[in-house]
Amino acid sequence: MKNNRQELILSLIEQQDVETQEQLLTLLDQKGIQTTQATISRDIKQLHIIKELSSSGNYRYRASVKPVEHAFNAKLNLIFKQCVTSLDYAQNMIVIKTMPGLASAACAALDKVNYPEVIGTLAGDDTCFVVVRDAQAAASICAEIKEIIH
């Protein structure tokens, strides 16, 4: 039911200018989907729907081309600042040391960044192992992470 509702929401905002959650609720109701404003609000957040200025000068809902990255980057920075204790690279491999039990969180955060150079990550208890395409990519990613944690 949730997937159907969310697909319909995406379809509705693509087909017409939807300016408010109330308007979206009405359109869903017309399509036979009974829901609440709170549910719509959660759907909007999960679907990464943003408001943009339309050609008519009004704001309308639009599916984001890619998820809003500001909030994610803030979470990533927080995860790295709080759990990474050290990191280094050799050739095309990066080793990230974390507080005990937090390597999975660091690897998951790194995976979410979706670096095209990263081939894969592997988490232990306090160590992340990252394989990248080449030594230059390893150096670049290490420098970026060091900048985040310092």
Side-chain angles (χ1 to χ4, degrees):
M1 179 163 215
K2 175 181 175 180
N3 288 338
N4 293 339
R5 183 183 64 247
Q6 289 185 346
E7 285 177 24
L8 182 56
I9 289 170
L10 290 173
S11 175
L12 288 168
I13 66 171
E14 182 66 30
Q15 294 169 8
Q16 55 193 298
D17 288 352
V18 178
E19 298 177 20
T20 64
Q21 291 182 10
E22 291 78 22
Q23 185 181 1
L24 188 54
L25 274 169
T26 301
L27 291 169
L28 287 169
D29 189 49
Q30 291 171 358
K31 299 284 184 178
I33 305 277
Q34 301 275 322
T35 190
T36 65
Q37 183 275 329
T39 299
I40 294 299
S41 183
R42 279 191 298 276
D43 287 340
I44 287 170
K45 184 175 180 179
Q46 289 173 357
L47 293 169
H48 304 290
I49 293 174
I50 59 172
K51 276 197 169 182
E52 72 174 12
L53 194 59
S54 69
S55 57
S56 66
N58 296 325
Y59 283 93
R60 63 171 282 181
Y61 286 117
R62 177 70 75 198
S64 177
V65 175
K66 60 182 185 178
V68 178
E69 298 204 6
H70 178 69
F72 172 72
N73 285 339
K75 286 181 185 178
L76 173 70
N77 291 349
L78 184 63
I79 288 170
F80 279 138
K81 282 180 183 179
Q82 290 184 346
C83 73
V84 173
T85 58
S86 67
L87 71 150
D88 206 350
Y89 73 97
Q91 299 297 326
N92 68 325
M93 298 172 285
I94 302 171
V95 175
I96 303 172
K97 293 297 217 170
T98 69
M99 301 292 288
L102 296 176
S104 291
C107 276
L110 193 58
D111 288 341
K112 284 278 192 186
V113 173
N114 215 8
Y115 286 109
E117 304 90 352
V118 173
I119 296 171
T121 62
L122 180 65
D125 182 56
D126 64 355
T127 305
C128 297
F129 180 72
V130 184
V131 178
V132 295
R133 299 205 181 279
D134 55 40
Q136 183 179 0
S140 174
I141 291 170
C142 273
E144 197 171 320
I145 294 172
K146 283 180 182 177
E147 198 172 295
I148 291 170
I149 62 175
H150 295 303

